[in-house]
Each structure stands twice: as structure tokens, then as C-alpha cells.
Amino acid sequence: MEIPRRFCFCVLTLFVVVLLSPTTTVQAMIRHYKFNVVMTNTTKLCSSKPIVTVNGKFPGPTIVAREGDTVLIKVVNHVKYNVSIHWHGIRQLRTGWADEPAYITQCPIQPGQNYIHNFTLTGQRGTLWWHAHILWLRATVHGAIVILPKLGVPYPFPKPYKEKTIVLGEWWKSDVEELINVASKIGTAPSASDAHTINGHSGSLSNCPSQSSYGLPVRAGKTYMLRIINAALNEELFFKIAGHVLTVVEVDAVYTKPYKTDTVYIAPGQTTNVLLTANANAGSNYMIAATTFTDAHIPYDNVTATATLHYIGPTATVPTFKKTILASLPPQNATWVAAKFTKSLRSLNSREYPARVPSTVDRSLFFTVGLGSNPCPSCSNGIRLVAGINNVTFTMPKTALLQAHFFNISGVFTDDFPAKPLNPYDYTAPVKLGVNAATMKGTKLYRLPYNATVQIVLQNTAMILSDNHPFHLHGFNFFEVGRGLGNFNSEKDPKMFNLVDPVERNTVGVPAGGWTAIRFIADNPGVWFMHCHLELHTTWGLKMAFVVDNGHGPDQSLLPPPADLPKC
């Protein structure tokens, strides 16, 4: 998927209004998009089914704008489901009404209704993405957001010849909503996906050799920037291009120090920009591959998605007559590959793009994250698999939390989410048979004063099983200041924190059997969701929310809701 140079979209309705400031020559624009959410008949893996899409596309259309632009997106719901679309990674400064995780910042858009999302891209540039944030519609309702630098502002690395967007996903032959509904009734997990996809294509498979694959044309000697997005529901992925080295220059729309690697590790919700120099033998094709990473003993999709990089131009031969060089993929349980990649990422921390890491902390929180089980007489084996933070399984409200906060509606939530586990134990030790794995339920939020500096240690547990958890925090970026294996040691481990150039993200992995520490400044008033970005775990309750109070004056206060805010 190539980023067009003139922002010409045949599917989207795009109007551009130029705003000229009397004190600067920099132009800001208002960009209008229209998203029609519709059912689309689609054939993949040699079978057909109707899927929910935006404008009939899978993946959906790309939003292109510049830093400083204002974006208005009208979402029109033409399907039978309630719909909610989240603009993943957009800070939404004081505009939480446009963030749109269903029942957190607003109620979903009901069938036949529409809603205009209005937000400004303040202080952000790079690759983000949008996706449905209700039910499991994210499986097919997602697409890229490309935020270009302001006019006249260069990248902090050599300008690439061209840019390409690579969206990684999952595909089920069955109806995804039916699968999760059946699994929820019996208290267990649905079946894994049937294939992975690269820009909507799985590549040729043994059970469907006619399945199409994505092709990436390149010219010898040219450098390309690939904007990679993991839009998969439940799979962390390795991404690799045979015969080529990739240089990471950005993650989650934040520039990094250049890091060369032959394998990209990317969790659901994360984005990674890499530079690819086409310097291999132009007489061959090269496999592009995306395959699962998992170090937990659970069922997973073991079908590798494949695509082809092929050379074009006078030095290249016809692609169909070329030999294809296969990608040498790491084992699917290659924890060492994922760990090396994660630990190698550093913020650019330049004069133009400093890493403003909080050196002191006002609120220090310790959150255990993991699975559990609650009694369920109608479920398989009499139990329902659940998940929780600090042993709290989050209960979704029927009134949006941000509305309840703004209008002081009582009885919707409480602000007594525990800052640490109520009953400490050896979190990473193997759990013995007969141990109580039950969780408590509640719609509990944690309240933060405006501009507080916050540290959260996310501690993985071995309850039921230990699995990686990619956590996403809405409304903020944060710095990953530390990570490790075993139980977090509050005396020893902070001495090893990186407070100089830690990577800045909006989605971070918590390693199986270990912990991750993050820091951020609560400078965005509103209600902000934090959850595991494995859709299954979110469904099971591995989520919570922060309520950030207003500061002083209108510039530090949440804006009023728009007139067309969806109603429950």
C-alpha cells in the first residue's frame, strides 16, 4: 500500500481547508474523511463470507495528514452491529470524546446513526492506526494513519525514495463474532485464526494454492520506508524480508535511534517504521514473512503469511521467472529474538526531539496483570476463564465513563481501583493445584490529579498461565524505563532504570514471567482506557481506566461534548 504523494483518495471523501496564521508561514489544514461502515462479501482461503469493512476495503482506507492538522471523520453505521472506531495512539488532547473505545469515552454509534470525530494532531508525526473498539469487529475494521511532518520539516534520517504501508492481520474462515459469542457462553477461548495476512493477503497456502499474495516492487539502490502495523487481534508477530536488513527509525509515531535488524518483533497495537535499502541481487525475488511469536503453551495460528519483494527497472528480470529467496524465520517461541529487539530500542533524544522522561514520581502504582477463573455452573468444567489487573476483572458500564465523569452521574463507576495488589504473593512462581484463581468484579477507576507524574510497574503473573501482554494506554505516550524477568524488586530494579533515552510508546509488552515499568505525565484531562491489546484478554476483563481531573483554567480542562455525541 503506497502512500500517495498528492493525498488522492478515490474511496474517501476528502476536503482540505488551509489555515494561515498571521505569525507563521507554516500551513495547517482541516481534513475531512467519510467512513461508511458496511458489509462486504469477501473471498479468502478459498471460501467466502460477509465481513464488516470501512468503505468496502480490507484493510480499510489510510488517513493521511500532517502534524498540526485538524481531522474530521464522519463515521456512518450501515451495519447491524453497534460501531465504535478508535484512533489508536492519537493523544486527543482535551478531546477525549473522539477517542471512542465503546462505553469508555462515549456510547457506540448505533445502526443507521453517524458521528463526526474532531481532533487535532498536536505534537505527533509518524505511523499510527485506527480500528473498531467494540466486540471483535477490529478483525476486519482497521487501517493506517500516516502523520507527515509539518511542511518544510525533514525526517531525522535520509529521506526515503518511497514509503509503503504494511498492515499485518489475522483471518478467520468463520464468522468472528459468532466464534467469540459461543466461546463466551461456555467460558473458554475461541479457536485461533486460520491465517495471517499482509495487506489483506495471506499468500499461497497448501490448502488454497490460488490465494493471492502482496507484492512489494523496489528499484535497486533505492531506500524505502515501510510503515508496519500489527492489526492482529491476538498474535504477536515476527516480520522479516529475506536477504535484506531493516533499520528501525520509529515506533508508535516516535523517532528512535537507528537500529539495524533482520527481524522485527511487533505486538498487536504497535507500529514500527523501518528503512529498507534495495541492495540485494536484482535477479531474484525475496520472501516477506509474518509469523507468530508465542512462548505460552496455548493454541495459536501457525500459518505464516507471505508476500514477495521483487526488483523492477532495467537491472531486473521478469518477476515470474526469478528464483525466490526464502526467509529464515526464528522459531515461534524465540523469546531471545523478541527480547533483544525490545531492549535495543531507544528514543532519538535529540535537540529537536528530546525524551522528556519524568525524573521524579508523584504516583507510584504496581499493577499485576494476568488470568484467573471464576465459578460458572453453565460453563465447561464449571469455570469461566477471566483476566484482571490487581485481581480486578473490569466490568463494562452501560453509560459511558467520560459522560458520567463530565456530568457527575453517580452509580456508573467508583474511583477506588487499588494502587497495588490487596493480597501480595509470589507472582511468577508456578501455581499449585487447588489455588484460588478467582477475581473480583467492578467498574473501578484510578483518579489522577492533572499534571501528576506517574510510574506504573506492570507485573505479569503465572496464575493459570504466564503469557505476554501488550498493554495500550489511551490518551498518553509513556516511556518504558525498565523491564526484567521474575518479580519486580522495588529496591534494586529502579537503580537500573533508563531515565535518559528510554523508548517512548503507547503500547508496551509485559514479558511472560516478568515486568515492565513505564512513566508518563497525566497532562490530558478525561477518562482514559488502559488494557491488554490481545482482544481475547480484553474480552476477559484485562482492562481498567484512569480518570484525570481538570487542571487550572480552560487550557487544562476537558472540552464539552459535541452535539452529535452518540446516545446509548
Side-chain angles (χ1 to χ4, degrees):
M1 203 182 302
E2 182 175 344
I3 305 303
R5 295 186 177 182
R6 297 193 178 187
F7 309 152
C8 177
F9 298 88
C10 56
V11 176
L12 301 179
T13 302
L14 172 60
F15 304 94
V16 176
V17 179
V18 178
L19 302 179
L20 295 177
S21 167
T23 60
T24 179
T25 59
V26 175
Q27 296 179 343
M29 294 183 178
I30 299 177
R31 301 181 184 270
H32 293 253
Y33 291 87
K34 186 176 182 181
F35 276 22
N36 286 303
V37 181
V38 296
M39 299 300 300
T40 304
N41 288 322
T42 305
T43 299
K44 293 189 184 300
L45 308 186
C46 293
S47 65
S48 299
K49 69 173 184 177
I51 61 172
V52 181
T53 67
V54 168
N55 296 348
K57 301 295 183 181
F58 170 73
T62 298
I63 293 173
V64 180
R66 290 190 180 275
E67 179 185 352
D69 287 352
T70 294
V71 182
L72 281 79
I73 307 167
K74 183 177 183 179
V75 178
V76 185
N77 184 5
H78 299 281
V79 301
K80 65 181 181 180
Y81 304 104
N82 286 344
V83 167
S84 183
I85 294 183
H86 167 55
W87 319 99
H88 185 112
I90 301 295
R91 284 291 313 275
Q92 301 290 1
L93 292 168
R94 301 174 55 232
T95 56
W97 309 105
D99 193 45
E100 212 178 342
Y103 299 105
I104 304 299
T105 56
Q106 82 303 306
C107 298
I109 305 168
Q110 297 180 26
Q113 302 300 308
N114 63 79
Y115 178 44
I116 297 176
H117 304 75
N118 184 344
F119 52 86
T120 299
L121 302 171
T122 303
Q124 292 184 278
R125 81 294 302 167
T127 305
L128 295 171
W129 65 302
W130 58 265
H131 60 81
H133 214 306
I134 188 171
L135 307 174
W136 279 36
L137 298 181
R138 178 162 68 87
T140 56
V141 180
H142 59 253
I145 301 174
V146 173
I147 309 173
L148 300 170
K150 293 179 179 180
L151 282 172
V153 177
Y155 292 128
F157 45 80
K159 183 180 179 180
Y161 172 66
K162 285 187 177 180
E163 302 178 11
K164 306 281 186 175
T165 298
I166 306 291
V167 181
L168 310 177
E170 292 180 86
W171 183 264
W172 281 261
K173 285 186 173 182
S174 303
D175 183 292
V176 179
E177 294 305 321
E178 183 178 341
L179 281 176
I180 186 58
N181 288 340
V182 170
S184 295
K185 288 179 181 178
I186 62 176
T188 187
S191 58
S193 55
D194 295 299
H196 294 108
T197 58
I198 299 175
N199 284 347
H201 303 275
S202 66
S204 180
L205 302 173
S206 59
N207 59 353
C208 184
S210 63
Q211 178 63 48
S212 63
S213 62
Y214 171 72
L216 177 62
V218 298
R219 294 186 180 276
K222 300 296 185 181
T223 296
Y224 297 77
M225 183 160 72
L226 307 184
R227 299 176 179 268
I228 307 169
I229 299 166
N230 187 348
L233 260 67
N234 296 306
E235 303 277 4
E236 297 174 289
L237 297 171
F238 290 129
F239 176 85
K240 191 166 186 175
I241 301 179
H244 294 77
V245 174
L246 306 174
T247 302
V248 179
V249 292
E250 175 203 306
V251 295
D252 291 0
V254 181
Y255 295 133
T256 65
K257 290 181 172 66
Y259 167 58
K260 292 184 181 297
T261 181
D262 65 356
T263 304
V264 170
Y265 158 68
I266 185 167
Q270 293 181 334
T271 67
T272 303
N273 283 11
V274 299
L275 298 180
L276 162 73
T277 298
N279 55 8
N281 179 6
S284 297
N285 291 332
Y286 297 87
M287 176 189 285
I288 304 171
T291 190
T292 300
F293 162 67
T294 179
D295 52 6
H297 299 290
I298 55 175
Y300 61 89
D301 181 349
N302 63 357
V303 179
T304 298
T306 59
T308 302
L309 180 150
H310 61 273
Y311 282 76
I312 58 175
T315 61
T317 56
V318 179
T320 53
F321 298 111
K322 293 181 182 180
K323 174 185 177 182
T324 297
I325 307 300
L326 302 182
S328 177
L329 294 167
Q332 289 173 320
N333 64 346
T335 303
W336 61 93
V337 176
K340 179 183 177 182
F341 181 89
T342 301
K343 291 183 178 180
S344 298
L345 299 177
R346 294 285 186 273
S347 288
L348 185 59
N349 195 27
S350 64
R351 183 177 64 180
E352 295 82 5
Y353 304 102
R356 295 187 172 93
V357 189
S359 58
T360 60
V361 172
D362 299 323
R363 298 293 178 95
S364 183
L365 308 176
F366 184 82
F367 287 178
T368 58
V369 297
L371 307 184
S373 62
N374 287 334
C376 175
S378 63
C379 296
S380 300
N381 302 317
I383 62 170
R384 176 182 299 280
L385 292 175
V386 296
I389 302 175
N390 280 352
N391 209 44
V392 177
T393 295
F394 190 82
T395 301
M396 291 297 291
K398 295 182 179 180
T399 299
L401 297 176
L402 186 59
Q403 290 174 261
H405 166 62
F406 186 84
F407 292 109
N408 294 314
I409 303 172
S410 61
V412 178
F413 68 86
T414 60
D415 60 1
D416 58 346
F417 190 90
K420 60 183 179 180
L422 300 179
N423 298 300
Y425 63 97
D426 187 351
Y427 307 112
T428 56
V431 177
K432 298 179 181 178
L433 291 175
V435 169
N436 183 8
T439 65
M440 68 180 80
K441 299 178 182 180
T443 310
K444 298 176 180 289
L445 278 61
Y446 190 91
R447 188 175 294 275
L448 290 168
Y450 182 84
N451 232 27
T453 54
V454 184
Q455 175 178 293
I456 308 174
V457 174
L458 296 164
Q459 173 70 62
N460 213 324
T461 76
M463 192 67 69
I464 308 296
L465 63 84
S466 186
D467 194 5
N468 285 359
H469 297 292
F471 261 82
H472 174 50
L473 176 60
H474 292 227
F476 301 94
N477 279 359
F478 51 74
F479 293 96
E480 181 195 313
V481 296
R483 66 170 46 231
L485 295 178
N487 294 326
F488 176 75
N489 186 311
S490 60
E491 294 184 1
K492 295 180 180 180
D493 289 328
K495 296 177 182 178
M496 304 299 293
F497 282 178
N498 177 6
L499 303 181
V500 177
D501 61 351
V503 67
E504 183 179 349
R505 310 206 68 138
N506 61 60
T507 304
V508 69
V510 183
W515 55 270
T516 299
I518 64 173
R519 289 187 180 184
F520 67 96
I521 299 174
D523 58 356
N524 196 5
V527 174
W528 303 107
F529 207 21
M530 188 175 80
H531 60 95
C532 179
H533 223 276
L534 302 181
E535 200 67 34
L536 178 61
H537 293 171
T538 301
T539 301
W540 285 351
L542 196 53
K543 49 196 175 186
M544 58 84 65
F546 291 98
V547 53
V548 179
D549 290 326
N550 288 335
H552 299 291
D555 291 341
Q556 297 181 1
S557 299
L558 176 67
L559 291 169
D564 64 339
L565 190 72
K567 295 179 172 58
C568 290

